[in-house]
């Protein structure tokens, strides 16, 4: 199993445990903390030092929808014009099998942390990222349970169907757009990667595997699923197929978009010969340019031929190309029809900007235990590192992180002493930090 995937799962489990423990703290203490944060987002340290305005601690949430069992929340997006934020709460019922006892509630929060529920989805188990178009947010997901498909889901373990989730915060509207056909896992296995926006289209890479008659071999199909919000129609770009043992055919194994263009990595295989292209396309699927990937770039993109879609991230921004594999981020440049020099940065996370801006590199935990580090990418490709920590914390780690435009959301776990520990959520306004190299967070 992919090492990076295991790390992500482990980090999520730690985050879930910590959050549940934090919920058991004294209610008045949490309420005081939330009120203080709302009144003074900058906060102040134990020594009396004022925190800068670009650091905002989010208040505890009130009125979180729950089914009476365990609940974990994750922020979906950091800002809206009227000050609302959007959260996905995962509610698990221990009396029901995990795949069928899990529901996902979408809620909007005002600046004081008061929540109103927008809707509920019963069970999807893959998909990430959001395509923000007009007032709607789109995410491709693989379903694992719906009430009308309960018997089929219980029989197969999941629905094995790709669908598109649409959320409109202003209209309090949540819709699951079903366009795919469910298939039994023994005949077809599907997965969907990160959702991106390009023009007025929501796109994601989808993989479909069909085993051979003897259960071995078979075909692997990959394609870019595209939803046009104006025509409300689905189309597919770069439909490719190869034998499961990957000795012949073509396969798209990574896709990204920066709002204006789509980039795809495609292998062409014939026996032992494999060639790889980075394909640049318009939002309409028109091929604009191909960049040949050579030996150095093959290491850069770090793809396993036998693993289907690579777990390594891919992102192209402002002529710079970023990829991630294991604990390193590789960094190159598109220059006159070729991929330029490749450099290796030992960061453990490549955090993609949902608005098409520059990605951010993140060290969730520093080896010295004195905080974490994020690195911002400048217009000319320079990397500027900023250390993030909490005054007096003996333990500090970033459990969740995303960036939307100029706003960086992080959830952190910290320990000062047995009476002061837990998880906190913050928004850091990147356009206001200037030349700051060290950030201390309020608690």
């Amino acid at each position: 199993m992919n090492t990076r995937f295991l790390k992500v799962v482990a980090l999520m489990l730690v985050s879930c445990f910590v959050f549940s423990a934090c919920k058991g703290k004294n209610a008045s203490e949490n309420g005081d903390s939330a009120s203080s944060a709302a009144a003074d987002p900058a906060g102040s340290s134990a020594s009396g030092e004022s925190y800068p305005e670009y650091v905002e601690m989010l208040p505890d949430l009130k009125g979180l929808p729950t089914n009476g069992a365990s609940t974990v929340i994750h922020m979906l997006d950091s800002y809206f014009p009227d000050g609302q934020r959007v959260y996905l709460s995962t509610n698990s019922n221990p009396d029901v099998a995990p795949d069928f006892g899990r529901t996902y509630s979408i809620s909007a929060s005002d600046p004081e942390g008061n929540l109103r529920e927008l809707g509920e989805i019963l069970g999807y188990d893959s998909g990430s990222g959001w395509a923000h178009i007009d007032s709607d947010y789109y995410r491709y997901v693989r379903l694992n349970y719906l009430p009308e498909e309960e018997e089929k889901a219980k029989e197969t373990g999941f629905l094995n169907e790709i669908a598109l989730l649409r959320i409109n915060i202003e209209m309090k509207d949540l819709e699951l757009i079903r366009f795919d056909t469910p298939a039994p896992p023994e005949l077809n296995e599907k997965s969907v990667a990160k959702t991106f926006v390009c023009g007025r289209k929501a796109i994601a890479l989808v993989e479909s595997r069909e085993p051979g008659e003897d259960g071995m071999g078979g075909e692997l199909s990959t394609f870019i699923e595209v939803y046009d919000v104006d025509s409300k129609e689905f189309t597919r770009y770069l439909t490719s197929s190869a034998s499961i043992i990957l000795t012949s055919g073509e396969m798209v194994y990574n896709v990204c978009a920066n709002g204006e263009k789509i980039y795809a990595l495609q292998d062409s295989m014939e026996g032992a010969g494999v060639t790889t292209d980075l394909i640049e396309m318009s939002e309409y699927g028109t091929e604009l340019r191909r960049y040949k990937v050579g030996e150095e770039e093959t290491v850069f993109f770090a793809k396993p031929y036998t693993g289907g879609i690579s777990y390594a991230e891919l992102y192209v921004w402002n002529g710079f190309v970023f990829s991630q594999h294991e604990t390193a981020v590789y960094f190159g440049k598109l220059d006159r029809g070729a991929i330029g020099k490749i450099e290796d940065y030992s960061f453990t996370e490549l955090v993609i900007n949902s608005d098409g801006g520059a990605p951010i590199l993140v060290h969730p935990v520093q080896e010295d235990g004195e905080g974490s580090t994020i690195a911002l990418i400048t217009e000319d490709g320079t990397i500027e590192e900023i250390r993030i920590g909490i005054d007096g914390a003996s333990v500090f780690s970033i459990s969740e992180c995303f960036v939307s435009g100029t706003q960086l959301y992080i959830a952190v776990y910290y320990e000062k002493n047995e009476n002061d520990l837990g998880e906190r959520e913050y928004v850091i306004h990147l356009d206001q930090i200037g030349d700051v190299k060290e950030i201390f967070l309020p608690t």
Side-chain angles (χ1 to χ4, degrees):
M1 183 176 290
N2 183 273
T3 304
R4 178 170 175 265
F5 178 74
L6 290 175
K7 290 180 179 178
V8 172
V9 171
L11 196 54
M12 289 178 64
L13 290 174
V14 171
S15 176
C16 293
F17 172 78
V18 169
F19 188 84
S20 297
C22 293
K23 281 297 177 181
K25 291 180 66 179
N26 184 278
S28 62
E29 178 185 339
N30 286 343
D32 292 343
S33 173
S35 300
S36 173
D40 180 15
S44 60
S45 68
S47 62
E49 177 187 358
S50 295
Y51 286 98
E53 292 184 355
Y54 54 73
V55 175
E56 180 182 357
M57 185 172 76
L58 302 183
D60 289 338
L61 300 178
K62 308 174 185 70
L64 181 71
T66 176
N67 62 2
S70 60
T71 298
V72 178
I73 55 174
H74 300 285
M75 183 183 289
L76 299 186
D77 209 334
S78 58
Y79 249 54
F80 289 90
D82 58 359
Q84 293 185 106
R85 292 181 169 92
V86 181
Y87 292 85
L88 172 69
S89 60
T90 305
N91 306 308
S92 298
N93 188 336
D95 297 327
V96 185
D99 283 347
F100 308 112
R102 187 180 300 134
T103 61
Y104 300 85
S105 298
I106 308 294
S107 304
S109 168
D110 62 23
E112 285 71 43
N114 298 302
L115 279 164
R116 57 185 175 86
E117 189 172 359
L118 302 178
E120 184 177 77
I121 304 165
L122 296 173
Y124 65 84
D125 64 355
S126 67
S128 63
W130 293 93
H132 186 191
I133 305 173
D134 297 331
S135 298
D136 291 322
Y137 287 77
Y138 298 89
R139 171 183 282 181
Y140 286 93
V141 299
R142 189 187 74 174
L143 303 177
N144 67 4
Y145 172 71
L146 289 173
E148 63 270 25
E149 302 282 2
E150 183 172 6
E151 292 305 316
K152 183 181 295 184
K154 287 181 178 180
E155 179 182 344
T156 63
F158 53 87
L159 285 180
N160 205 10
E161 174 185 351
I162 305 299
L164 184 63
L165 172 62
R166 182 187 66 84
I167 302 172
N168 186 297
I169 310 305
E170 297 174 2
M171 302 299 293
K172 304 180 184 179
D173 186 23
L174 185 151
E175 178 185 9
L176 194 61
I177 305 172
R178 301 182 68 179
F179 63 91
D180 191 19
T181 302
E186 66 272 14
L187 299 180
N188 186 289
E189 182 179 345
K190 303 173 184 177
S191 62
V192 61
K194 187 180 181 71
T195 301
F196 291 93
V197 62
C198 190
R200 296 183 56 76
K201 297 176 175 61
I203 72 166
L205 179 61
V206 176
E207 176 183 335
S208 177
R209 297 170 180 262
E210 296 186 17
E213 293 182 1
D214 57 356
M216 305 294 290
E219 290 290 316
L220 169 69
S221 299
T222 58
F223 48 88
I224 304 174
E225 192 70 61
V226 182
Y227 179 72
D228 188 311
V229 302
D230 296 319
S231 67
K232 302 188 183 309
E233 294 181 349
F234 290 91
T235 56
R236 291 178 178 178
Y237 300 162
L238 280 185
T239 299
S240 307
S241 63
S243 64
I244 291 292
I245 56 175
L246 303 184
T247 58
S248 63
E250 294 180 328
M251 180 184 74
V252 177
Y253 67 90
N254 218 324
V255 167
C256 75
N258 59 11
E260 298 178 353
K261 296 178 181 177
I262 302 170
Y263 293 87
L265 283 170
Q266 184 181 56
D267 278 352
S268 297
M269 293 155 283
E270 188 61 47
V274 179
T275 59
T276 302
D277 292 324
L278 175 62
I279 305 173
E280 179 181 308
M281 297 182 293
S282 73
E283 67 170 289
Y284 302 101
T286 304
E287 183 176 319
L288 303 176
R289 186 187 291 263
R290 282 183 179 243
Y291 302 87
K292 288 294 180 184
V293 178
E295 286 301 317
E296 188 176 35
E297 290 80 5
T298 300
V299 176
F300 160 49
F301 291 123
K303 55 180 170 50
Y305 289 118
T306 58
I309 295 175
S310 171
Y311 283 107
E313 296 277 7
L314 166 70
Y315 194 68
V316 180
W317 171 79
N318 199 29
F320 297 100
V321 189
F322 301 85
S323 184
Q324 174 184 302
H325 188 64
E326 300 299 336
T327 59
V329 171
Y330 298 86
F331 184 14
K333 183 173 176 59
L334 302 181
D335 185 18
R336 287 172 292 188
I339 301 175
K341 182 181 178 181
I342 303 301
E343 297 185 56
D344 174 1
Y345 295 87
S346 296
F347 276 79
T348 53
E349 292 292 338
L350 174 64
V351 179
I352 304 302
N353 194 320
S354 63
D355 289 351
I360 288 179
L361 310 179
V362 177
H363 274 312
V365 182
Q366 290 288 78
E367 292 183 1
D368 57 16
E370 295 182 356
S372 299
T373 300
I374 63 170
L376 310 181
I377 315 298
T378 65
E379 288 286 333
D380 62 358
T382 303
I383 294 180
E384 297 181 350
E385 296 186 9
I386 299 173
R387 192 178 78 85
I388 300 177
I390 288 177
D391 277 345
S394 59
V395 176
F396 181 93
S397 63
I398 295 176
S399 57
E400 193 176 355
C401 178
F402 71 78
V403 60
S404 178
T406 62
Q407 302 189 51
L408 172 68
Y409 161 80
I410 58 174
V412 307
Y413 173 69
Y414 76 96
E415 293 182 10
K416 289 187 178 181
N417 55 59
E418 61 181 10
N419 297 316
D420 192 357
L421 56 83
E423 184 167 297
R424 295 286 185 269
E425 297 177 299
Y426 304 85
V427 170
I428 298 175
H429 301 267
L430 299 176
D431 57 341
Q432 299 178 25
I433 63 176
D435 296 327
V436 170
K437 301 300 181 185
E438 194 168 46
I439 295 175
F440 290 99
L441 304 173
T443 57

